[in-house]
Amino acid sequence: MAGRALCAAVHCAVVSWYIVSLIENESVTRKNVVLGRNTYGGKWKFLTFLDMVLQTAYFCVALVVDILGQDHDGQRNTAPRGVQKLRNYMFAILAFPVGLFVVLTFWMIYAFDRELIYPTYLDLVIPVWLNHAMHTTVMPLLLLEMKIIPHVYPQRGVGIAGVISFGICYLIWTLWIRYAGGLWVYPILAWLAGPGLVVFILLGGLVLTGLYMLGEVMNVCLWPRLEGNGHSVGTYGPSRCPSSRVFRLNALIL
C-alpha cells in the first residue's frame, strides 16, 4: 500500500480533476441547450454525469479517510470505522462497477455507431479532453485507486444486491423520463425495438454484475492477505487467486 501522504496527494489530485471536469461540464451545458440541459431531467438523466458526481463523491470520502488516518499496511486505520466502511462500500458497489460500465459501454457503442451514443455534433460543443474525462480516464483512475488502497469488500450477496439495485433505480429513472418527458435518454434506446431493448437491459445488468465480480477478484489478487474481505478471501485466497493462473492481474496494473 502507498504511504498516507502519497494516497492523500493522489486523492486530492483526482478530486481536483473531477471538480474541474464538472465545472466545465456545467459551463458547456449552460451555453448549449442542445445537450439536454433544458429537457426533462436535465443533466441528471445521463449516466455519464451521474457517474462523474459519484466518482467525485467517492474520492472525496477517500481523501477524508487519508486525512483522518490511514496506516501503511491498510489494516490499522485511525479513521472512524464508519467512514472506512463507507469508502469501501462506495468503491466496491458503486464507483468501480459503474465507472467501468460507463467507459466500456460508451466506447463499445461508439465503435459500433457513435450516433447511437454520442452524435457527431457534440464534437463541436464538448472539448475532447472533457469527453475523455467523462468516458476514458475514469478507468485508469479506478485501477490506480485499487492498486494503492486495499478495500474490504462486503459479503458477495450484499455487494451484488447493491449494484443491481443501483442499475434498477437508474432503469426506473430512464423509463420515467420516457413516460413523463417523452424522450429517451440515449438515441440507442429509441433505436432498439421492444425485444431488443429488453435484451439490451438484461445484458447491461449482467455486465454490471460481472464488473462487480471483477473488482472483487482484482482486489483480492492485489491484497491477498487483507482480512475481512467478505466471501472473496475464502474463494480467491492467495493460493487460489485467478491472477496466478490465468489473468495475471497484478502484472496488468503494475
Side-chain angles (χ1 to χ4, degrees):
M1 176 181 172
R4 177 179 172 184
L6 176 58
C7 291
V10 170
H11 291 151
C12 186
V14 175
V15 168
S16 300
W17 166 253
Y18 277 121
I19 289 176
V20 169
S21 300
L22 285 170
I23 291 173
E24 179 65 17
N25 184 284
E26 172 67 18
S27 175
V28 168
T29 55
R30 185 180 295 276
K31 297 175 183 177
N32 300 275
V33 295
V34 294
L35 296 182
R37 176 187 175 92
N38 295 332
T39 58
Y40 191 88
K43 294 182 297 183
W44 296 96
K45 60 178 171 286
F46 299 114
L47 184 59
T48 296
F49 180 76
L50 293 174
D51 179 57
M52 288 186 70
V53 174
L54 172 62
Q55 300 297 328
T56 305
Y58 166 75
F59 281 101
C60 283
V61 172
L63 180 58
V64 169
V65 174
D66 295 333
I67 294 172
L68 294 180
Q70 172 72 65
D71 235 302
H72 288 270
D73 59 8
Q75 298 289 327
R76 297 183 301 276
N77 195 321
T78 57
R81 291 182 62 84
V83 181
Q84 296 180 55
K85 189 172 183 179
L86 175 62
R87 181 199 65 180
N88 291 333
Y89 276 37
M90 284 185 68
F91 181 84
I93 297 175
L94 295 174
F96 187 85
V98 175
L100 264 62
F101 181 86
V102 167
V103 173
L104 294 176
T105 55
F106 175 83
W107 289 112
M108 288 175 65
I109 297 173
Y110 187 99
F112 174 73
D113 184 353
R114 65 166 297 174
E115 298 300 322
L116 297 176
I117 192 73
Y118 195 80
T120 308
Y121 72 83
L122 292 179
D123 290 340
L124 303 176
V125 179
I126 299 179
V128 173
W129 75 265
L130 181 58
N131 179 29
H132 286 295
M134 296 186 294
H135 301 119
T136 305
T137 60
V138 175
M139 180 182 289
L141 290 177
L142 287 170
L143 295 178
L144 174 62
E145 171 69 3
M146 181 170 282
K147 175 59 183 174
I148 66 174
I149 296 288
H151 297 85
V152 178
Y153 268 59
Q155 292 292 316
R156 183 171 300 160
V158 174
I160 292 178
V163 73
I164 290 299
S165 296
F166 174 86
I168 291 175
C169 287
Y170 183 70
L171 174 61
I172 293 173
W173 174 228
T174 300
L175 295 177
W176 173 254
I177 290 173
R178 173 59 180 168
Y179 171 77
L183 71 155
W184 286 109
V185 175
Y186 296 105
I188 189 173
L189 300 178
W191 179 73
L192 291 169
L197 182 59
V198 172
V199 172
F200 181 80
I201 292 171
L202 293 176
L203 285 176
L206 290 174
V207 171
L208 197 57
T209 303
L211 290 173
Y212 172 83
M213 296 291 293
L214 175 64
E216 182 186 275
V217 173
M218 291 176 66
N219 185 64
V220 177
C221 289
L222 287 168
W223 306 99
R225 289 186 278 282
L226 185 65
E227 297 180 359
N229 216 21
H231 279 314
S232 54
V233 167
T235 307
Y236 303 112
S239 63
R240 300 172 62 188
C241 175
S243 68
S244 63
R245 304 176 186 176
V246 183
F247 299 113
R248 302 294 179 187
L249 295 174
N250 280 311
L252 289 174
I253 299 176
L254 286 172

